[in-house]
Every structure is written in structure tokens, then in C-alpha cells.
Amino acid sequence: MAENLVPLPFDPAGIQLDRRQGLSRQLYQALRARVLDGRLGGGTRLPATRDLATMLAISRNSVVRAYDQLYAEGFIEGRVGDGTYVAQLSQTVSSLAKLSTKVSTALPTGLPTALSTNGINFTVLTSSKIIHNSAMERLQHYSLPPPKSGPPRAFRVGVPAFDLFPFDVWAKLQAGFWRKPDLQQLGYGEPAGDPRLRELIAAYLRGSRGLSCSAEQIVITSGAQQAISLCAQLLLEPGDVVTVENPGYRAAGNAFAIAGAQVQGVAVDNDGLDCTELANIENCRLAYVTPSHQYPTGVTMSLARRLELLAWAERSQGWIVEDDYDGEYRYSGAPLAPLAALDRQGRVLYVGTFGKIAFPAMRLGYLVLPRQLVPAFSQRRALDVRHSEVGTQVVMAEFMAAGHFQRHIRRMRRAALSRRNALLAGWPVDIPGCGALPNVAAGLHLMVPVDSFARECELIELAEGVGVEINALSDYWLPDSREPVDNRAGLVLGFAAVAEAEITAATARLRKAWVE
Amino acid sequence: MAENLVPLPFDPAGIQLDRRQGLSRQLYQALRARVLDGRLGGGTRLPATRDLATMLAISRNSVVRAYDQLYAEGFIEGRVGDGTYVAQLSQTVSSLAKLSTKVSTALPTGLPTALSTNGINFTVLTSSKIIHNSAMERLQHYSLPPPKSGPPRAFRVGVPAFDLFPFDVWAKLQAGFWRKPDLQQLGYGEPAGDPRLRELIAAYLRGSRGLSCSAEQIVITSGAQQAISLCAQLLLEPGDVVTVENPGYRAAGNAFAIAGAQVQGVAVDNDGLDCTELANIENCRLAYVTPSHQYPTGVTMSLARRLELLAWAERSQGWIVEDDYDGEYRYSGAPLAPLAALDRQGRVLYVGTFGKIAFPAMRLGYLVLPRQLVPAFSQRRALDVRHSEVGTQVVMAEFMAAGHFQRHIRRMRRAALSRRNALLAGWPVDIPGCGALPNVAAGLHLMVPVDSFARECELIELAEGVGVEINALSDYWLPDSREPVDNRAGLVLGFAAVAEAEITAATARLRKAWVE
């Protein structure tokens, strides 16, 4: 009978069960491991559930559940009227061995030799096997430094006064949405984003930013970074030339680089991007710019340069990606109209974000696109992520519709101005090797030139020593920049991240560390 | 004096202001438009603010604000002691004309001829100018159909019983998080996702899904789609061959295709993907599979096939992307262990999602990665989107830690089972041209074979006529599939989207439409 076919008697003695945890899962795992490593060969007859329960001193139910799971997953099989057997996996695998053209033979020592009896060794991929792939190689060159962690402190860059965000209002709106959500909104939504939010953003841009656009041109993104990354993936062929401001926003340059573009830096002077240099770059398909407030130098692009840049885009049929990351912050008069407001040729893709008005971790941004690009961007977004998370979109729409957003912009502008003033007032005079503070008419950060790399490094280390965070201008240059080395040094300070008292305390510590 | 230099007298007569709206913004826009279209030439002297205010019968303040904005944006300039003049933009632009190599001369009729006097015509990009770009061309071939909109109805595919989601609990957790958020979490976070959520997901997969993994292997994504899309962008070179199940999940195949892969379909039989066919495909780098519950046929991949697939991956150093989109739904016993649980070579990338337990619009999913791939995936995600929205991650972590998640899985499994039973009970018998209902042991949908395309189309139209949504199996095949046409027809029905009564009513309507 069947018993005669069993190659090994089944010995449950090695099965150790921990009675404080799920017994059937442990038994399932123990049996599965024995099938996979060959200790229980194909065709082995398993004991009846009642017998195994007695042997292991557990309930029969636990054994039944373990067998059921092994059966469902194909590790054991039942023969009608004849008990339970280990499945004939080795036949499957040994028939595979004949097909196999490239069987790895080396086994790392110390690893269990799984299924090795039938000619196929399962090896663990060791770290010495490097993954060769151009996408991953590009990433190694263009990855971003880890984000600055810990609570906000002076003078973290890229962070608004989010301690002033009306969290109580946001919490109420979130709770209101989730308590009784419209079930229609919980399935798969529009790739371009929530229609009401898109309407409200378009109305805001028309009314407050002088940008004539309609809801159909808006595509919601997961922050400005996804907007830039979509541009990189959709507007470029591998090998295309992209120009970025130098010094500039490295996360944008890197997004273009990992999409396969050749990224070239173009100098920035007091009028913004040097458009003559741009015009001399051959086959440039796309220029990435921050015209309202250049990142990180703080320069505003002049009108003449804006018109030159637009003329370049038309001549060369190139694209302009305008990243207006902090355009809401202007300390005299209304915010400047974006470059996109001057675009009559449909060459400017405008990137906006809520990250600098609300907080970065909201990951809510948008593109305003030339109409002919909208379908492609929507479709690409559908394949990348389907769409953005529903709650943030619906709650932001409500936040805007109820007037909280406009109020909050005014609050944030006042706060940033007051924090800027605290920095200007407390900034040490006559720091050796350090230039004068610039005029700060806009944005959330400023840049102070420093005489040399060595001094830049020294000032930043001294600041770090007294708990003050300052970025090095040298980190914003492309690696192959041709500027004389000592023209590239400077300090980049964000002035909005913490309250005035903390800024004053930080500048006092800097004075001690740097000057006294 | 200066008046003699003015080429045109400034005539404000054409400026129409609507007194119900912001006057300074209207004046700013009117003047800006005149500068840009040449009606106000460079060097034109503007009236003093007091005089213009009188002429237009508005307050002097409104004129001052408009002038300030025009000044800030560079449209006008002040000469010390000598009033306000239109900036010399035409000089900038005409000097540009000399650099210009490719000046467009044709102007679409009916469009304003902007700045045409200085040799550069701004043309509007018309729809006839097609964008030539391989990324966009691929998108035209591989875009997704728009999502099914409107409230959930019988028998929408891909949608769980999200009417049963504990929205009250979720609303409370959301409000709790937002009322007093940890400010540290509101800046830029970890690209791989919230550390606590990653810990909890790893613990869940170890405890409930038999997948041995640690938090470091988890990368949070914006739903399963972003997980698949990341695999496409990181593991492939353009031109690499990718195999997908055929019929299968088109959104996955399309994500691979737009990354530049050659997508080839492999047949699915009652044991899942045909691994012999896979082994015969040359240079295949990646296989995308749904082993727990094949999408859309509902087949579970047999253990023998799982081992064959893993052996293929090791032999060819290929990657397996395992999409376990609805693995939590199994109607007898525990969920099957994923393919990734058998992987000892680090070749399987496991894709999980909260979309089928909570709701799709949450856009929360994750990858479980072989350790050596984690840095590249994190870095890529940082450049794509920085990281996922913070609130959803933190609240889901709390939802899991408090036991709501496990409770909800049980609730959803019971509900789906009960809804499945309502469909099986109400399904019309003897539908002409339609095969038998399958055995439905898992998942949220089922597939019924139909004799021919013509009949498939007819049945779906008749269903639509009585308000019942059914997907065509033919839509899940790759366009170039070689199967005999009439083997490819079938009905795909999601049974979880609506409650039992609605299912029963829908099957009654189908019976009338199809059989009686």
C-alpha cells in the first residue's frame, strides 16, 4: 500500500513549537521549510491530523489549519481515500533543470542548500553582484542628500513658517471630509486631479498672480518635485540638452539627469539667467528657471531677460520650466507676475507648490501647462501614480474656497517679513571674509557671498558648532562648473523656519562664534 | 525737456475699468498689455500718478499701486527727478533679433501681432504643430482609459467594499494628527516613507502573510501603480523585454511600455503564467505576475509554477514583480503566502496596496524589495516625488497600531464573501453563449468565459442597458495577442463594490436582459 512508497518516515521530533504564539502557523512554517529544503521528500506520507496532534500535544484543529494552508499553497496533496502526501515538487524542478541554460553552481558557504539534490542551486544574491543598469548608475551620480531631519531650526532652507499653519482649521476640514466622504471620490479619480481644486487654483493664479489660465490647464502633482520630474520624463529624449541655472536647484537638475538628459549649467547674474550663454548652447531642448526669486542667489529675473528667454524658446522650439516655488513671498507690493504670464507661444510650463505656504510634507503642487501638453501629462501621471491622494486635494479645495488660503498667505508673508527683519537686525557686522547682506525683497532665504571655499567651510562649521544650520553656496553648483573657485562660495540662509526670538538668539551665537 | 522725446502722447482714453473689481490690477493689466503689444513704445513718458488718477476718475492710490507693480516687473522705469517712462524693451528684443537664427514669419490670422515691429513675431503654437517626442508617442499608444466615474455600482472591477470603511475612526485619527502634529514630520521626510508605518507593514507581512521581511526593505508608494512604475523605471534599459500575463493588467504593461520596454504577453492557464513559454522568450529582464489571484482570470499560480518562475529568475538574473493587489481576500483558510516568501535569491519585488482593503483614492501602497535594491528605489523616489503625503502615512500607522487594520481586513473579507455569494446565488443560469461561473476562492472579481467576441459585446451592451457595469475580457489582452479570437471573450465582474441587495437586484435585471 501507500506506506511502502514513503521514502522517509515522517519524524516530527525536530518540530519545536512555541506555545505562546499561533501553533498552526508555526506548524505550517515548519512543514513548509522541510518540504522546500528536501527534508520531507515528494511523496512522503504525512501522519493523519489526529496522530500528529497527539505527537505534538496540540489541538487537532491546529494541525487541520496547517494542513489546509499547505494544501492551498500546493505543498501537500490529498489522495482520495488515502491520506495526505508531500507534493512531487522535485519532478517539476528537475524537469526545469533540462531547460536551464545557465545554472549557477557556486553556493555561498553557510547558506542552506535548498533543493540542491535535483541540480538547481538557489543562491542568495550577494552584494558583490553589482546591478548593471544605466538607470541605477545615473542614480548613483545624481542622488539627493538625505533631508535635514529634526525639528526646524535657524536657518534651515526651503522651509516656511509652518508653525503658523492653522492646524485647527485643517484638522476640522479633514475630519469633516472623512466623517461623511462622497463615496464617488474614493475610487479611481481623475489623473489631472480633483476638478474643484483645479478650478480654485486657476482662479487664484488669475486673481492674485496675474496668470491667465483655466482649470483644464492645471495638473495636480505630488509637490513641485513631481511636476519637474514629469517635465523631465515627457519633454525630453535621452541625450537631449537641458540647461539649469548655475548655481541652482540640484534636485531639479538631477531629475533631468536621471531622465537621461545632458544637464548644462548657465550662469546667473544680477538680472537672472544669462540668456546669451543659453543662446549659444546647441540643441538645448529645455531651460529650467526660477525667475521670481532665483534659487539660491535670490536674484529676480529682469523683464528684458524674460523676453529674451521667451524669444529663445520660440526660436528653438524649446521648453521653459518656470519653478515659482516661493513667488507668493514679496515684501513690497504684490507678487510679481510669473514668466508664464508673458508666454504667448505655449512654451512655458509653470510649476507651483503649496509646500512653501502650507508645509513641504503636504506634497501638493501643480503644473500650469500649455493646452497642447495637458493630455500627455495627464496620461503619464495616470501610469505613474493614477492620481494624488484624495483627502489632501479635497481639503485644500475647501481651505481655499472658505478663504483660509488667502488669509494664510497674508499671515505667512507678514511672518516671513518679520523673521527676515529679525535676521537682518541681528546679523553680525564685519564678519571677516564675508560680504554684505543682500537686499531681500522676496522669498524665504538669502545668500551672503564669502571670499573663499575655505572660509565658507569654516563659517558653516563654526555655525554648526553653536547649533545654527547654514547651507554652503558651493553645494548648489554643478560639479563641472567653470567659475573661478572663490567666486562660488557663500552662505545660504533660510529665515522663515523659526520664530523671531530663536533667530535673534541664533544670530547672537553666530556673532560670538564668528566675530568676537 | 523730456516731453520732447516722447514718441507718442499717452492716451488713457482706451482704458476701460470695471468699478466692481480691483482697479489697480485692471490698470496694471491695461498698461502692461499696451507695453507688450507696442501701443506704448519704449521711452513713452507716463502721466504723473495724480494726473492719471484724475483722468480715469480713480484714487491716486490705485494708480500708485499699478505703477509700483509695473516698476517691480520692469515694464516702466523711473528717471530721477524726471517722472516715469516705459522701459526700452524693444531695444532688448531687436538686439535679440540679430542673434535669432530661426525666426518664425507666419502669423496665424486673427491673432494679435505682438512686438511685430521689431522683427520678431510671437506666434501661438497651433494644434497642427505636433510634438515629436518618443515619450509622448509611446503615451499615445499606451494611455489608460479614463477611470469609471460616478458612484460605485454592480459590477465595477477593482473596487472593494469601501462603504464599510470605518470613516468615523479614520476621521478621528486624522483630526487627532492634524490638531497637534509633530512639526518634525512636516518638513521633508524620508523618501522610503514614514519609519513607523514601514515597521508596521513589515510586522503585518511577517505575521499575517508569511513574508519574512524587515522595515528597511519597505518603500512606501503612491499606490500599487507607483510601485510598478518605479520598477519599470529602475530595473529596465530601453529595449529590454518584459513579459506580462496575457490577458493581464494593462496599466502594468503600459507602465513598462512607456519606460521603453518591449512588452510581450505570456499565456495564462489553470496553473497561472506558462513558464515554459516564458523560458523561451529571449533576453527577458522582468516578469510581471499576479500569483495569488491572476488579474483578470482569477487563477492562482500553482506551487510548481512558482518554483519554475523563481528558477527562471535565477537562471536569467531576471526580476519578478509580484503584484499582490488583493491577496488578503481568500475565502477558506488564511491568505496564501506570496511568491516573495519563496524567494531566496533576491529576485522578487513584492507590490502591496491599501487600495483594496481601504479604498483606491487613498493612494497608499508599498514595495518589499530585495535589500540590494532599496537604496536605488529610495533615491529614485526622492527625485520623482520626494516622498508620500505625511498625513495618510501617519494615520495609517496609527490605524494599524491600534488594531483597526486587522479588524477591517476581517470585516472586508466577510463582506466580500457575502457579496460573492449574492452574485453566485443570483447569477442567471443558462445564459446563451456564456460558460459556467468559476469557483471563486479568492479576490474581488471573477471571470466568466463567453463563446465569442460578438456575444461578449452584446451581453455587455445589454447589461449596460439595465444599468449594470461589466468589463470585457477582450480589453485585458495585449493588442497583438495570437490566441484564437473566440478564446479571448469573457465577462469580468467585480462583486465587492456594492451591497448584497444591489447585487441581487442587478442579477435580476441581467436575467431579464439576457435570458428571459
Side-chain angles (χ1 to χ4, degrees):
Chain A
M1 294 303 294
E3 275 82 358
N4 301 331
L5 302 173
V6 173
L8 294 167
F10 175 70
D11 176 13
I15 297 180
Q16 305 284 339
L17 302 178
D18 178 347
R19 270 153 215 291
R20 291 162 303 182
Q21 298 184 15
L23 292 168
S24 66
R25 173 155 289 273
Q26 290 178 69
L27 179 58
Y28 152 79
Q29 285 168 338
L31 293 173
R32 193 181 73 150
R34 282 163 175 72
V35 175
L36 282 171
D37 70 10
R39 279 180 285 168
L40 277 178
T44 304
R45 184 176 183 165
L46 292 182
T49 52
R50 188 190 310 266
D51 298 342
L52 187 56
T54 308
M55 284 189 255
L56 295 170
I58 60 176
S59 77
R60 189 179 164 198
N61 248 346
S62 297
V63 181
V64 169
R65 276 204 301 275
Y67 278 24
D68 279 353
Q69 188 74 9
L70 291 164
Y71 178 79
E73 296 184 359
F75 291 94
I76 63 176
E77 50 196 30
R79 298 183 193 159
V80 177
D82 185 30
T84 305
Y85 294 82
V86 174
Q88 291 289 357
L89 300 175
S90 51
Q91 280 185 6
T92 308
V93 179
S94 61
S95 71
L96 254 179
K98 291 168 202 150
L99 293 172
S100 169
T101 52
K102 212 175 88 185
V103 176
S104 133
T105 50
L107 257 190
T109 51
L111 288 169
T113 311
L115 297 168
S116 58
T117 48
N118 43 53
I120 294 195
N121 296 315
F122 287 176
T123 61
V124 172
L125 194 78
T126 61
S127 56
S128 64
K129 292 195 189 175
I130 292 160
I131 300 148
H132 282 292
N133 168 310
S134 60
M136 293 211 192
E137 275 167 23
R138 278 198 297 267
L139 265 180
Q140 286 178 352
H141 289 98
Y142 298 108
S143 62
L144 294 180
K148 296 275 166 67
S149 60
R153 56 179 187 153
F155 292 97
R156 184 163 298 168
V157 175
V159 172
F162 60 64
D163 48 311
L164 303 179
F165 189 72
F167 291 108
D168 52 340
V169 171
W170 193 255
K172 259 185 216 145
L173 294 176
Q174 285 276 358
F177 172 69
W178 288 113
R179 258 195 306 269
K180 284 205 174 296
D182 178 352
L183 292 186
Q184 292 197 43
Q185 294 183 307
L186 301 187
Y188 290 100
E190 275 193 44
D194 178 64
R196 184 172 176 232
L197 178 60
R198 293 163 70 204
E199 284 287 359
L200 286 158
I201 290 171
Y204 161 68
L205 292 173
R206 286 195 304 265
S208 299
R209 305 302 312 280
L211 181 52
S212 161
C213 63
S214 71
E216 292 70 39
Q217 291 174 265
I218 311 277
V219 170
I220 302 295
T221 61
S222 177
Q225 191 66 30
Q226 190 179 40
I228 296 165
S229 163
L230 276 171
C231 294
Q233 283 160 33
L234 273 169
L235 301 176
L236 302 173
E237 306 274 357
D240 274 353
V241 175
V242 167
T243 56
V244 297
E245 296 161 331
N246 198 19
Y249 184 47
R250 296 293 300 276
N254 289 1
F256 293 116
I258 60 160
Q262 287 184 51
V263 176
Q264 294 199 15
V266 165
V268 175
D269 62 20
N270 287 333
D271 288 326
L273 188 85
D274 181 339
C275 290
T276 309
E277 193 180 328
L278 169 65
N280 288 330
I281 293 177
E282 280 188 21
N283 299 319
C284 176
R285 290 288 302 145
L286 187 152
Y288 167 85
V289 287
T290 52
S292 292
H293 186 238
Q294 204 270 332
Y295 190 84
T297 63
V299 165
T300 298
M301 186 182 279
S302 69
L303 182 58
R305 286 283 174 82
R306 287 170 193 242
L307 294 173
E308 275 189 72
L309 186 58
L310 290 168
W312 163 83
E314 189 192 9
R315 271 202 320 277
S316 61
Q317 293 288 294
W319 301 108
I320 299 168
V321 175
E322 175 182 27
D323 186 352
D324 197 23
Y325 62 102
D326 66 359
E328 284 87 1
Y329 293 93
R330 205 176 155 78
Y331 304 119
S332 58
L336 302 186
L339 179 61
L342 294 172
D343 176 29
R344 299 174 179 217
Q345 302 97 46
R347 308 307 303 176
V348 177
L349 297 89
Y350 175 90
V351 176
T353 178
F354 290 97
K356 301 283 186 276
I357 288 293
F359 44 87
M362 180 180 282
R363 308 312 306 134
L364 193 64
Y366 50 89
L367 278 160
V368 186
L369 295 170
R371 285 176 193 280
Q372 77 273 24
L373 294 179
V374 174
F377 274 72
S378 283
Q379 285 158 15
R380 173 74 197 215
R381 221 174 114 68
L383 287 170
D384 277 352
V385 295
R386 292 279 189 182
H387 58 84
S388 285
E389 188 269 326
V390 62
T392 313
Q393 294 189 75
V394 171
V395 169
M396 180 53 87
E398 195 52 42
F399 190 78
M400 294 178 88
H404 298 296
F405 181 65
Q406 289 280 18
R407 261 194 300 283
H408 185 55
I409 289 179
R410 288 192 293 272
R411 181 190 303 130
M412 291 295 269
R413 202 179 284 142
R414 278 195 306 272
L417 176 61
S418 163
R419 291 172 183 199
R420 178 202 76 168
N421 292 344
L423 173 58
L424 300 185
W427 187 250
V429 285
D430 295 331
I431 306 162
C434 197
L437 275 184
N439 178 26
V440 185
L444 298 172
H445 68 266
L446 57 83
M447 192 277 284
V448 190
V450 172
D451 289 351
S452 69
F453 269 157
R455 184 65 182 148
E456 177 195 88
C457 187
E458 193 176 37
L459 287 168
I460 287 171
E461 273 184 23
L462 288 168
E464 192 55 52
V466 294
V468 177
E469 187 177 307
I470 294 180
N471 284 6
L473 180 63
S474 53
D475 288 341
Y476 295 85
W477 290 89
L478 293 180
D480 57 348
S481 303
R482 283 160 304 173
E483 283 277 313
V485 166
D486 289 341
N487 265 355
R488 297 194 241 151
L491 307 177
V492 182
L493 295 95
F495 51 75
V498 295
E500 291 78 348
E502 217 173 311
I503 291 173
T504 304
T507 51
R509 294 202 301 280
L510 287 181
R511 199 176 308 121
K512 276 205 172 156
W514 286 352
V515 185
E516 287 171 12
Chain B
M1 295 302 294
E3 274 83 354
N4 300 333
L5 301 174
V6 174
L8 293 168
F10 175 70
D11 176 13
I15 297 179
Q16 305 285 336
L17 302 178
D18 177 346
R19 273 156 210 290
R20 290 162 304 180
Q21 297 183 17
L23 292 169
S24 67
R25 174 154 288 274
Q26 290 179 69
L27 178 58
Y28 153 79
Q29 285 168 338
L31 292 173
R32 192 180 75 149
R34 282 164 176 71
V35 174
L36 282 171
D37 70 9
R39 277 180 285 167
L40 276 177
T44 306
R45 182 174 186 166
L46 292 182
T49 52
R50 189 190 309 268
D51 296 343
L52 187 56
T54 307
M55 283 190 255
L56 295 170
I58 63 178
S59 79
R60 189 176 165 203
N61 248 345
S62 296
V63 180
V64 169
R65 276 204 301 276
Y67 277 24
D68 279 352
Q69 190 72 8
L70 291 165
Y71 178 79
E73 296 185 359
F75 290 95
I76 61 177
E77 50 197 28
R79 298 184 192 162
V80 179
D82 185 29
T84 306
Y85 293 81
V86 174
Q88 290 289 358
L89 299 176
S90 53
Q91 279 184 6
T92 308
V93 178
S94 60
S95 71
L96 256 180
K98 291 168 203 152
L99 293 172
S100 168
T101 52
K102 214 175 87 184
V103 176
S104 136
T105 48
L107 258 190
T109 50
L111 287 170
T113 311
L115 296 167
S116 59
T117 47
N118 41 52
I120 296 196
N121 296 317
F122 288 176
T123 60
V124 172
L125 194 76
T126 60
S127 57
S128 65
K129 292 194 190 175
I130 292 160
I131 301 150
H132 281 293
N133 170 309
S134 60
M136 293 210 192
E137 273 167 23
R138 279 198 297 268
L139 266 179
Q140 286 176 352
H141 288 98
Y142 297 107
S143 62
L144 294 179
K148 296 276 167 65
S149 61
R153 56 178 189 154
F155 291 97
R156 185 164 296 168
V157 175
V159 173
F162 59 66
D163 49 312
L164 302 179
F165 189 72
F167 291 107
D168 52 341
V169 171
W170 193 255
K172 260 185 214 143
L173 294 176
Q174 285 276 358
F177 171 70
W178 288 114
R179 257 195 306 269
K180 283 204 174 298
D182 178 353
L183 292 186
Q184 292 196 42
Q185 294 183 308
L186 301 187
Y188 290 100
E190 275 193 43
D194 179 63
R196 183 171 177 234
L197 179 61
R198 293 163 70 204
E199 285 286 359
L200 287 158
I201 290 171
Y204 161 70
L205 293 173
R206 285 193 305 266
S208 300
R209 305 301 312 279
L211 180 52
S212 162
C213 62
S214 70
E216 292 69 41
Q217 291 174 265
I218 312 277
V219 170
I220 303 295
T221 61
S222 178
Q225 190 67 30
Q226 190 180 39
I228 297 165
S229 163
L230 275 171
C231 293
Q233 282 160 33
L234 273 170
L235 302 175
L236 302 174
E237 306 274 356
D240 274 352
V241 175
V242 167
T243 56
V244 296
E245 297 160 331
N246 197 20
Y249 184 47
R250 296 294 300 275
N254 290 0
F256 294 116
I258 60 159
Q262 286 183 50
V263 176
Q264 293 198 16
V266 165
V268 174
D269 62 20
N270 286 333
D271 288 326
L273 189 85
D274 181 339
C275 290
T276 309
E277 192 179 331
L278 169 65
N280 289 330
I281 292 177
E282 280 188 22
N283 300 319
C284 177
R285 291 287 303 146
L286 187 152
Y288 166 86
V289 287
T290 52
S292 293
H293 187 238
Q294 204 271 332
Y295 191 85
T297 64
V299 166
T300 299
M301 187 182 278
S302 69
L303 181 58
R305 287 282 173 81
R306 286 169 194 243
L307 294 173
E308 276 189 72
L309 186 58
L310 290 167
W312 164 82
E314 189 192 9
R315 271 202 320 278
S316 61
Q317 293 288 296
W319 302 108
I320 299 168
V321 175
E322 176 183 24
D323 186 352
D324 197 22
Y325 62 102
D326 66 0
E328 285 87 1
Y329 293 92
R330 205 175 154 77
Y331 304 119
S332 59
L336 303 186
L339 179 61
L342 294 172
D343 175 29
R344 301 174 176 216
Q345 303 96 45
R347 308 308 304 175
V348 178
L349 297 90
Y350 176 89
V351 176
T353 177
F354 290 96
K356 300 284 186 278
I357 288 293
F359 44 87
M362 180 180 282
R363 308 312 306 135
L364 193 63
Y366 50 89
L367 278 160
V368 186
L369 295 170
R371 285 177 193 280
Q372 75 273 22
L373 294 180
V374 174
F377 274 73
S378 283
Q379 285 157 16
R380 173 74 197 215
R381 221 175 114 67
L383 287 169
D384 276 353
V385 295
R386 293 275 188 183
H387 57 85
S388 285
E389 189 269 323
V390 62
T392 313
Q393 294 189 76
V394 172
V395 169
M396 179 53 85
E398 195 52 40
F399 190 78
M400 294 178 90
H404 298 296
F405 181 65
Q406 289 280 17
R407 260 195 299 283
H408 186 56
I409 290 179
R410 289 192 293 272
R411 180 190 302 130
M412 290 295 270
R413 201 179 284 140
R414 280 196 305 273
L417 175 60
S418 164
R419 291 173 184 196
R420 178 202 74 169
N421 292 344
L423 172 57
L424 300 185
W427 187 250
V429 286
D430 295 330
I431 305 161
C434 196
L437 276 184
N439 178 27
V440 185
L444 297 173
H445 69 265
L446 57 82
M447 192 275 285
V448 192
V450 172
D451 290 351
S452 69
F453 269 157
R455 184 63 181 150
E456 178 196 86
C457 185
E458 192 175 39
L459 288 169
I460 286 171
E461 273 185 22
L462 287 168
E464 192 56 54
V466 294
V468 177
E469 187 175 308
I470 294 180
N471 284 6
L473 179 62
S474 53
D475 288 339
Y476 296 84
W477 290 89
L478 293 179
D480 57 349
S481 304
R482 284 159 305 174
E483 284 277 314
V485 166
D486 289 341
N487 265 356
R488 298 195 241 150
L491 307 177
V492 181
L493 295 96
F495 50 76
V498 296
E500 291 78 348
E502 216 174 312
I503 292 173
T504 304
T507 51
R509 293 202 303 279
L510 287 180
R511 198 177 307 123
K512 275 203 174 157
W514 285 351
V515 185
E516 287 170 12

